[in-house]
Amino acid sequence: MAYKNLKHFIDTLESAGELVRIREYVNPHLEITEITDRVSKQYGPALLFENTGYKFPLLINSMGTEKRMAMALGVEKLDDISEQIESLFKTFTSPKNNFLDKLKLLPQLGEVASWMPKQISGKGACQEVIMSDPDITQFPVLTCWPEDGGPFITLPVIQTKDPITGIRNVGLYRMQVFDKVTTGMHWHRHKVSARHFNEYKKLKQRMPVVISLGGDPAYTYCGTAPLPDGVDEFMLAGFIRKKRVELVKCITQDMYVPADADIIIEGYVDPEEDFILEGPFGDHTGYYSLADYYPKFHITAITHRKDAVYPATIVGIPPQEDAWIGKATERIFLAPIKMTMVPEIIDMILPVEGVFHNLVIVKIRKEYPGQALKVMNSLWGAGQMMFTKMMIVVDEHVNIHNQLEVAKYISENTDPFSDFTFSQGPTDVLDHSCSRMAFGGKMGLDATKKLPEEIQSAANYLAVSSSGIDKTQIQSSFPEIKAINDSLLSLGISMVSIAVEKNKRNHIRDLSAQIFQNSNFNKVKVAIFLEHTLEVDDIADAVWRFANNVDPRRDHFVYKDETGNGFNHIAFDGTRKTKEHDGFERDWPNILASDEKTISRIDEIWDKLGLGPFVISPSLKYRKQLYKGGAVVSE
């Protein structure tokens, strides 16, 4: 389904009972974030803020559930797109025995051609209004979190082009607003746009850049899609919406933009110009990404529809709206991965607590020894999968959408001494746990049922059974331990989480060695050490904090059972790393939480928002876990 514009999508959401209009005044500075954070964590509705002090309404959380994400892409369920890709791939790659078989392909070829983007003459609806004095501050740009460096455009569909080939790239990167005609351009070193920038720098030429906001929500999604280099994102949009993207020429730049977008921002980046300090920004990891230097973007024109809506999103501690954008990628790109690279893959998921790049679970059809390791290495070599920090592989009959079932299967089919694999490589720029930026440890876990050639000790694959740990005895022996979650042991899952207050060098290494000498831990395969401020009984938060804070290659400790009465053991240090206790030299970011003033303000006006029963601020829990300092932890 193709949406005519963002208003068409809004009307569709509203007709389905998936949108609430908020007519009460709400400030884009922090307040919209606080409301959206409460709603998104309840998997609540899309929100249209109609009274922000600006003439443009603001749409947020429009893709904040699996249902709305599917609606945005015009399908009943996200797997429909993957199935369409698989069917198309099979049609074009199956053997063609005769001329008639080949003739049968013509309708499909015509259909594919109809999805290709097309440049049209004249002006588009996105150019109904041309600002005589371009001013990005006329839009309700969000300041999301208290320590953010300023307001940020959070859903910009950014186009660049290769200066040699002219091939277009479409991406989605945040843009900090500095004044009415200047923003930052936050593209990471691994992105195609960054490579285009380097080419313009070699040529000593200004780099044209154009941004679209709104229009068909498929455009926004395709800006996030991990397509192979050189594949046009607007072609994917055409395939998804089953209608080509019509493009019109910009007013001041030699580039083309979707005619039906709501807002267009035209401009350039000068590679000869000094970078500007951009950030901090409350990011999708649930932590601040810290200030750094990025190119300046200079605005030369802004155009928009007469009835333009400003689209935005917030990111932060999961779940947020971006989790469902990631879910769409997980489902859509499963078919290409299976059919072109790793055919034994049946399914894969990126759990929301892993914030896309920290954790992936893969289900395979296993046929030979070492196959799980082969799959891991294949995926680590596949585009943006190279950033994956931890990868777990299980067998085909496991329901990987059931987290407890996955955990139990891992527990029953892994030996900490032989089934964990550690390496290193590129990591996401936002991974703050690495000792060196964008380069750190990775972990692969073969949790498939072992073939005879893969077993070193059968004793480590026995059924797990434990009634729990004597917490009083452990905490009296180790007073730095503030809490233990052993609830999974009674479910046959041999893992405990331990909240510890570190106070010396190599504390977790030494503490884990002592703990595994205690008989309480004979049947515990995995111990995860976490911050003492964390509620370790909250498993989702524990996984989120652990996945962010661990460099698995550096922060793991393996212990071989010498008693013959238990399992081999592995411990992970998922605590914050410091120079004093860990020799860690990089700045450590703080977690995200609204300030008390904003929380109180939204509490006061909640009954006027039309959002139903009162929802307590998630930030009240996370404020208790904040470190001292601002975006950067001070001590």
Side-chain angles (χ1 to χ4, degrees), residues 35 58 100 105 128 130 152 183 187 194 225 255 269 296 333 355 387 428 443 456 483 530-531 554 559 561 563 593 613:
I35 293 170
L58 181 146
L100 287 177
L105 284 179
E128 288 176 338
I130 301 174
F152 284 83
T183 78
W187 46 50
M255 296 183 73
V269 171
K296 289 181 189 175
F333 286 86
V355 297
F387 299 128
D428 194 278
M443 180 187 83
Q456 294 189 20
L530 299 162
E531 295 289 321
R554 181 195 63 211
Y559 303 97
D561 175 55
T563 68

Side-chain angles (χ1 to χ4, degrees), residues 86-296:
E86 189 166 352
S87 174
L88 195 65
F89 188 90
K90 288 178 178 177
T91 298
F92 289 124
T93 58
S94 61
K96 309 299 181 292
N97 297 321
N98 54 51
F99 182 67
L100 287 177
D101 285 342
K102 294 176 182 178
L103 280 179
K104 291 176 183 177
L105 284 179
L106 291 178
Q108 286 94 332
L109 289 170
E111 187 179 16
V112 170
S114 73
W115 303 331
M116 301 298 289
K118 180 183 178 181
Q119 296 174 5
I120 61 174
S121 59
K123 297 287 190 288
C126 64
Q127 297 164 328
E128 288 176 338
V129 179
I130 301 174
M131 278 190 175
S132 57
D133 180 21
D135 184 356
I136 193 61
T137 66
Q138 294 301 303
F139 297 90
V141 183
L142 297 180
T143 299
C144 300
W145 298 101
E147 301 299 331
D148 280 1
F152 284 83
I153 304 171
T154 53
L155 276 183
V157 179
I158 298 174
Q159 281 188 62
T160 62
K161 63 180 179 180
D162 188 298
I164 308 301
T165 67
I167 293 175
R168 170 173 49 228
N169 180 72
V170 182
L172 198 151
Y173 324 109
R174 75 187 192 222
M175 298 170 64
Q176 183 175 349
V177 174
F178 295 109
D179 57 47
K180 68 179 189 177
V181 291
T182 312
T183 78
M185 190 56 70
H186 186 95
W187 46 50
H188 292 168
R189 66 180 72 179
H190 304 103
K191 302 299 184 181
V192 175
S193 295
R195 194 184 71 234
H196 288 175
F197 173 82
N198 290 332
E199 293 300 322
Y200 281 96
K201 188 174 181 67
K202 292 175 189 175
L203 296 169
K204 298 185 183 300
Q205 295 178 4
R206 282 183 174 179
M207 177 181 182
V209 183
V210 293
I211 295 97
S212 60
L213 293 161
D216 193 315
Y219 307 156
T220 301
Y221 169 71
C222 290
T224 72
L227 290 174
D229 198 0
V231 177
D232 193 336
E233 286 80 6
F234 286 145
M235 183 180 71
L236 175 63
F239 168 76
I240 287 173
R241 66 205 294 263
K242 299 300 180 282
K243 182 181 179 181
R244 70 170 81 249
V245 180
E246 293 186 340
L247 304 168
V248 293
K249 197 165 192 282
C250 291
I251 305 297
T252 61
Q253 301 296 330
D254 185 20
M255 296 183 73
Y256 288 79
V257 289
D260 56 355
D262 281 59
I263 302 161
I264 299 296
I265 308 167
E266 305 178 16
Y268 67 88
V269 171
D270 185 350
E272 298 297 303
E273 191 175 24
D274 288 340
F275 284 8
I276 193 167
L277 186 65
E278 186 260 16
F281 175 71
D283 227 313
H284 74 267
T285 58
Y287 290 74
Y288 287 97
S289 58
L290 302 182
D292 205 347
Y293 288 91
Y294 284 91
K296 289 181 189 175

Side-chain angles (χ1 to χ4, degrees), residues 171 278 327 340 380 523:
E278 186 260 16
K327 179 62 69 174
T340 64
W380 271 318
K523 299 296 184 180

Side-chain angles (χ1 to χ4, degrees), residues 1 65-85 239-240 242 324 327-332:
M1 173 182 177
T65 63
E66 188 164 8
K67 178 182 178 180
R68 289 203 298 278
M69 189 71 239
M71 290 176 68
L73 301 181
V75 292
E76 289 293 321
K77 59 183 190 301
L78 296 176
D79 283 320
D80 290 348
I81 300 174
S82 182
E83 291 165 6
Q84 292 166 12
I85 293 173
F239 168 76
I240 287 173
K242 299 300 180 282
W324 302 106
K327 179 62 69 174
T329 293
E330 170 197 298
R331 306 324 300 162
I332 291 171

Side-chain angles (χ1 to χ4, degrees), residues 300-318:
T300 56
I302 298 177
T303 68
H304 61 83
R305 303 176 67 96
K306 291 178 181 176
D307 59 351
V309 175
Y310 178 81
T313 192
I314 64 164
V315 290
I317 296 171

Side-chain angles (χ1 to χ4, degrees), residues 432-433 435 478-483 498-512 515 528-534 545 549-551 554-557 572-586 588 627 633 635:
H432 60 257
S433 70
S435 298
F478 305 101
E480 64 268 44
I481 293 177
K482 304 304 178 184
I498 302 171
V500 60
E501 186 169 10
K502 291 197 302 188
N503 55 40
K504 58 186 177 182
R505 194 67 177 251
N506 298 321
H507 196 161
I508 303 302
R509 183 197 66 185
D510 297 343
L511 178 59
S512 61
I515 277 178
I528 294 176
F529 292 86
L530 299 162
E531 295 289 321
H532 68 284
T533 56
L534 182 67
R545 292 289 291 274
N549 289 354
V550 71
D551 178 318
R554 181 195 63 211
D555 297 333
H556 80 277
F557 312 99
F572 290 96
D573 181 359
T575 64
R576 170 198 165 201
K577 308 304 183 297
T578 66
K579 183 174 182 179
E580 179 185 6
H581 296 147
D582 308 282
F584 191 81
E585 299 287 345
R586 293 178 64 200
W588 195 270
Y627 303 102
V633 178
E635 59 178 76

